Amino acid sequence: MLNADQFTVINIVMIACVLITFFSVYVPQKVNRRYRMTAVFSLSVCALMMAAVAHFKGIMAANNSMLAIWIPLTFVVFWVFSKYKGGRYLVTYFISLLSITSINGLGFIVVDTCFGWRPIAHVFIRCTLMLLAAWLMWRFVKKPFAKALASVSKGWSLMAVVTGLFYLAFVVFFAYPKPITERPKEYGFAVLLILTIYCAVVLVIYTILNLSQEIEKGLAEAQRQNEQRINSMRLAQMEQQYKNMMNTLEQTRIIRHDLAHHFRMISEYCSSRQYEKIEAYLEELNFRNVMEEVKVYCRNGTANVILSYYAWLSETEDITYSCEADLPAKILCNEMDLSVLLGNALENAVEGCRKVCKERELHIRLRYEKKKLIFDIRNSFDGILREKNGLLQSTKEQEQHGFGMRSIQRVVDKYDGYLRYYTEEQTFILQIVLILEEL
């Protein structure tokens, strides 16, 4: 027969294991000093009270005190500090109790059947089984169960009823009409009940985790479809943007090609002294467009096309445009990635300038050094940064919000780069660094 000290050791270990299991699946509302002190104080009081009752009144009285004092007190204390109430909390609490108390009961039956009332066997084997169960819960259930608590919103009430009924059946069977220690003939039914309870606990945990995984898969699929939709929209925008740039540059190249013919006609009019025809010819020709030429900003063809297009667009939008670009013809960066990054950055910059009534400015600096592609883009804006969830928002139509910056960030992440944006008075500054190593 166990003495009071041995009984106290087993039950203190049981309390500790219940706590470890509980904290494996429990999420407090806020882990602060008040919460820790209250939890430690209440559990210490329970352990000391049980030890005192076992010493002065006997083991059976201590068992009854555990049911009457320890369980209700811990239930209330942790309920107050719990982040989740209702079914989530009840499932968490009952799973913790069932996981440890049932394994303690199973350990008692195994030891009593194999070794009788040998105190050392009871203390060692029962404590080892409870510590093992607590470690398994901490090691394999803690993280996925926390995700399930946060993501699964339905079914908790039913699972709370199931786990609560199993715990009630366990307590009633082991304690009434008299303790299981006095009913050795019913050990077989007790083992069957414990195995059933463990199967139920495993089934409940599996159901919760499976629901959580299904929700995560659904969210991942929705995100994937959204990303595909975004990519499709961005690709269509890029194609249209590229067509516009190429049309503009083609028209300019045609005009430049025709300059020789225009100058020949003007020369003929000068030779024949038909000056009035020169004036009419220039008026018909629109000399401003004839003299328009494509500037070469850098040796990189992709960057130069984009910079030239936005130079033309800035002129039509009455934006002061300046560009300093020093990029070689070939760099270790995919042309599509460069087009996505530079095109979106300049598109957002022009859009920001449109919101300003006066002094619209767009200044671009690009350089390539030590296998790093460095962007510094500064544009006027209305002084209002629109951010959501840490992502800079566009001021375009609602369905396109944030797509440009998201595409830029995707390219930056691909090249393990760096992105930073900030403001100086009415100037928005975007700085990007790409690490151009072999991908």
Side-chain angles (χ1 to χ4, degrees):
M1 193 72 177
L2 297 176
N3 59 36
D5 294 335
Q6 294 160 348
F7 174 82
T8 301
V9 169
I10 292 175
N11 281 276
I12 288 177
V13 172
M14 185 179 69
I15 293 174
C17 291
V18 169
L19 280 178
I20 294 172
T21 307
F22 184 70
F23 289 130
S24 299
V25 294
Y26 169 77
V27 180
Q29 189 172 16
K30 188 176 181 181
V31 180
N32 52 27
R33 185 176 180 183
R34 179 184 175 188
Y35 160 73
R36 292 192 181 97
M37 290 181 62
T38 304
V40 172
F41 177 76
S42 60
L43 294 170
S44 300
V45 168
C46 290
L48 291 173
M49 183 175 296
M50 188 160 37
V53 172
H55 185 76
F56 292 105
K57 299 291 185 178
I59 294 176
M60 295 312 304
N63 272 329
N64 294 331
S65 70
M66 181 177 67
L67 294 174
I69 300 175
W70 178 64
I71 292 177
L73 179 60
T74 54
F75 181 88
V76 172
V77 168
F78 290 113
W79 174 279
V80 172
F81 292 98
S82 178
K83 181 178 181 179
Y84 303 107
K85 309 294 184 181
R88 285 180 173 89
Y89 177 79
L90 293 175
V91 170
T92 302
Y93 191 80
F94 286 131
I95 283 178
S96 305
L97 287 177
L98 285 170
S99 300
I100 303 303
T101 55
S102 59
I103 203 69
N104 182 36
L106 180 63
F108 166 78
I109 294 173
V110 171
V111 174
D112 188 55
T113 302
C114 298
F115 303 100
W117 280 97
R118 295 184 180 180
I120 295 178
H122 274 274
V123 173
F124 178 76
I125 294 178
R126 290 166 65 180
C127 290
T128 300
L129 288 174
M130 289 188 289
L131 289 170
L132 178 61
W135 179 81
L136 290 173
M137 292 291 288
W138 183 274
R139 178 66 177 82
F140 297 104
V141 179
K142 181 179 176 64
K143 291 183 178 180
F145 199 88
K147 291 182 180 179
L149 286 172
S151 60
V152 179
S153 58
K154 297 180 179 180
W156 291 101
S157 298
L158 177 61
M159 288 183 282
V161 171
V162 172
T163 53
L165 289 176
F166 271 108
Y167 183 72
L168 180 62
F170 173 79
V171 171
V172 170
F173 183 83
F174 270 71
Y176 299 100
K178 56 184 179 180
I180 192 66
T181 56
E182 300 177 14
R183 294 178 287 154
K185 293 183 179 180
E186 299 181 13
Y187 282 178
F189 294 103
V191 171
L192 181 62
L193 175 62
I194 291 173
L195 293 177
T196 303
I197 288 173
Y198 251 87
C199 289
V201 170
V202 171
L203 181 61
V204 168
I205 293 176
Y206 173 79
T207 302
I208 294 172
L209 298 185
N210 189 56
L211 286 173
S212 178
Q213 289 178 354
E214 290 297 325
I215 292 173
E216 288 182 359
K217 288 180 180 178
L219 293 174
E221 179 63 21
Q223 183 177 1
R224 186 185 66 81
Q225 294 178 357
N226 187 52
E227 289 292 328
Q228 288 182 342
R229 183 176 65 87
I230 291 172
N231 291 335
S232 298
M233 294 178 64
R234 292 308 305 165
L235 183 60
Q237 289 179 351
M238 287 174 56
E239 289 177 351
Q240 185 60 43
Q241 184 185 80
Y242 183 75
K243 289 178 181 179
N244 293 338
M245 287 191 294
M246 295 308 297
N247 288 337
T248 301
L249 295 178
E250 183 63 25
Q251 292 173 6
T252 306
R253 280 195 291 267
I254 292 172
I255 293 175
R256 291 183 66 199
H257 181 265
D258 293 340
L259 276 176
H261 303 288
H262 297 314
F263 284 127
R264 188 179 299 113
M265 288 296 300
I266 294 172
S267 177
E268 290 293 331
Y269 288 139
C270 287
S271 299
S272 60
R273 299 180 182 277
Q274 301 180 50
Y275 300 119
E276 68 281 357
K277 290 187 177 182
I278 295 176
E279 184 178 354
Y281 185 82
L282 292 177
E283 183 177 349
E284 181 182 356
L285 183 62
N286 190 349
F287 191 70
R288 180 183 177 186
N289 288 336
V290 174
M291 295 305 296
E292 185 180 89
E293 62 176 313
V294 179
K295 293 183 179 180
V296 177
Y297 292 98
C298 63
R299 289 170 290 171
N300 185 275
T302 301
N304 199 71
V305 168
I306 297 173
L307 293 171
S308 297
Y309 171 75
Y310 282 99
W312 168 82
L313 186 61
S314 296
E315 184 177 356
T316 63
E317 298 280 351
D318 195 25
I319 299 172
T320 301
Y321 182 90
S322 68
C323 177
E324 298 178 16
D326 183 15
L327 301 184
K330 294 184 178 181
I331 55 177
L332 294 175
C333 179
N334 183 276
E335 289 187 0
M336 181 62 71
D337 293 334
L338 178 59
S339 177
V340 168
L341 192 150
L342 186 56
N344 279 295
L346 295 184
E347 182 182 0
N348 291 342
V350 171
E351 180 193 344
C353 290
R354 290 192 182 114
K355 301 297 179 181
V356 181
C357 297
K358 299 179 181 179
E359 297 182 359
R360 298 178 173 182
E361 297 182 2
L362 173 55
H363 304 288
I364 305 165
R365 295 183 63 190
L366 307 178
R367 70 181 189 273
Y368 177 77
E369 58 182 33
K370 298 179 180 180
K371 293 186 178 181
K372 293 180 181 179
L373 186 56
I374 303 171
F375 299 74
D376 186 284
I377 301 173
R378 303 173 183 239
N379 63 273
S380 306
F381 80 121
D382 58 5
I384 302 175
L385 278 183
R386 299 165 180 86
E387 294 180 301
K388 183 178 181 181
N389 298 327
L391 183 66
L392 188 66
Q393 296 290 295
S394 169
T395 55
K396 299 178 184 177
E397 293 81 15
Q398 183 68 33
E399 65 270 15
Q400 295 182 356
H401 275 186
F403 288 178
M405 287 302 294
R406 196 174 303 171
S407 298
I408 293 173
Q409 186 64 59
R410 190 179 295 113
V411 175
V412 172
D413 293 340
K414 178 179 178 180
Y415 291 88
D416 294 327
Y418 164 83
L419 183 149
R420 178 193 181 202
Y421 60 84
Y422 60 98
T423 62
E424 291 180 357
E425 297 181 351
Q426 298 298 108
T427 301
F428 178 84
I429 301 171
L430 175 66
Q431 295 177 333
I432 300 172
V433 178
L434 300 185
I435 312 299
L436 299 183
E437 303 288 350
E438 292 287 353
L439 294 179

